Amino acid sequence: NRMSMMLELKGTGNESKVPCGVIEIMMELFPKSTKNFGQDVVAAQISLEKSRQAERERLFLVYAKQWWKEYLQIRPAHQDRLVKIFAQDENMVNRPVNSFVKPLRGGRLLDSARHAARFVSLIHHEKVQSLGGGSKTEQWTNAHAFLCRNKGDCEDHAILLCSLLLGFGLDAYVCVGTKSKGAVHAWVVTISIEGTVVFWESLNGHRYIHLPIDPNAPPMDKQHRPKYPYKSIGCVFNHVSFYANNQPSDSVEVCKFNLKNEADWKSMSQDAVLSVCGPGASLAWPSMPPLCCSSLDSALVSNDLEQQLRVMVYEHRRDLGLTTNFDDQLSYLLTPALAAYELERVTGISAGNEEFQDSIKQAVPDGHTFKGYPIQFSHRNAKRAFATCLKSPVCEEIINCRGDHVRLGVRVKVYPYPENAIATWIMFACKYKSVL
């Protein structure tokens, strides 16, 4: 009923073979079993399960090699397409890409698929650098490590977003291809019952409806060309399906997403995928963790950041020989604008702008001028935010405002998301008497 063991902890990435610590694990079984199992029995069972998993992985590898051979026989140019069957995780373990995706429900923490897209976009984007610098190392990160680090590459963002969209009941897939300048990229696609195809960019939350272009049609003018940044697509996959692009061209613009059409997409056997990626098939691979709610008090952190920015504005203007007068009412009136900006980022719908404009007109006397500058960050570092704002000529003009009856305003609103991801909105404003 009770068992203890020591495990050696290894690093991640380039240090995955380097010991970095030891952890002692003590386990006790509840309710207590009437039959005791010796450590030799437990060890034998673990060994049996490992051998079963190794055999399943071996059989899948044999199948994948044959599948790839058949795919190349269709068209020699397929050799150059980004058909990603396996990927290496942060533990330097090669796994089928399907094993990274699992349907994930956000519980009470995320209200819709678009909230999920906004949440994922607020997690920092960082490419994994190879040891000693140089080009990036290709490494896909397990969701647990990605959320703990609060940063990752485009594949990590796309996998998390796809998992959340699957949790919301959408037919979602991770796409692997290239962007307009040829860089390898991953994004998400959803396909509705009616066949509507929507691309989701996991790094910024943007959505694009995809309508394939007839390759034989006359060239389109720039205004009517697709707005998405994707150039080519090699494959799409989720937790149960894998499809390689089988169309004559891998250009996203002309790509059709009828995945059931074998002439357009070569599919892998779902049974083969589930044999290694299905529930309980590979216990050694980390499972998808539940999301944790934010520990931040929005009102408290918003007020704290706002006070820090006020001090910085005061000190900055003092160094320029300028006096500073903040207008608390003007600052408060900026709140609806920040709420509208965040709503628009989540839903794509703009609302409340008329009331905001009317309140500003009421607050700014005749003969006075109003200027405002909103900006959004995914951190709460006041110094970094202020330095970035000063790089904008519009914001610098507001903060350095000179003239008669100058009144300044600043408003901060921090919107918390799961895993302590945040959208920090800041708006600087000023009103002053116009001199003709």
Side-chain angles (χ1 to χ4, degrees), residues 40 67 86 138 166 177 189 193 223 361 387 409 433:
D40 55 337
W67 181 91
F86 294 91
E138 184 175 78
L166 288 167
V189 64
I193 290 289
Q223 182 181 353
K361 289 175 183 176
K433 190 171 184 180

Side-chain angles (χ1 to χ4, degrees), residues 23-83:
I23 184 171
E24 182 180 8
I25 299 176
M26 300 185 70
M27 296 169 282
E28 190 167 356
L29 187 63
F30 293 100
K32 294 185 181 299
S33 173
T34 55
K35 184 178 179 181
N36 290 329
F37 297 96
Q39 289 202 9
D40 55 337
V41 176
V42 175
Q45 181 62 30
I46 291 174
S47 176
L48 177 63
E49 291 180 8
K50 283 184 177 179
S51 64
R52 285 175 178 170
Q53 179 176 342
E55 179 63 12
R56 285 193 294 265
E57 291 177 24
R58 186 190 71 79
L59 291 174
F60 180 77
L61 180 59
V62 171
Y63 168 79
K65 286 182 177 179
Q66 180 61 32
W67 181 91
W68 177 247
K69 184 178 178 182
E70 294 170 0
Y71 181 62
L72 294 183
Q73 288 173 348
I74 297 171
R75 199 176 285 110
H78 286 176
Q79 177 72 46
D80 300 321
R81 295 195 177 179
L82 283 168
V83 179

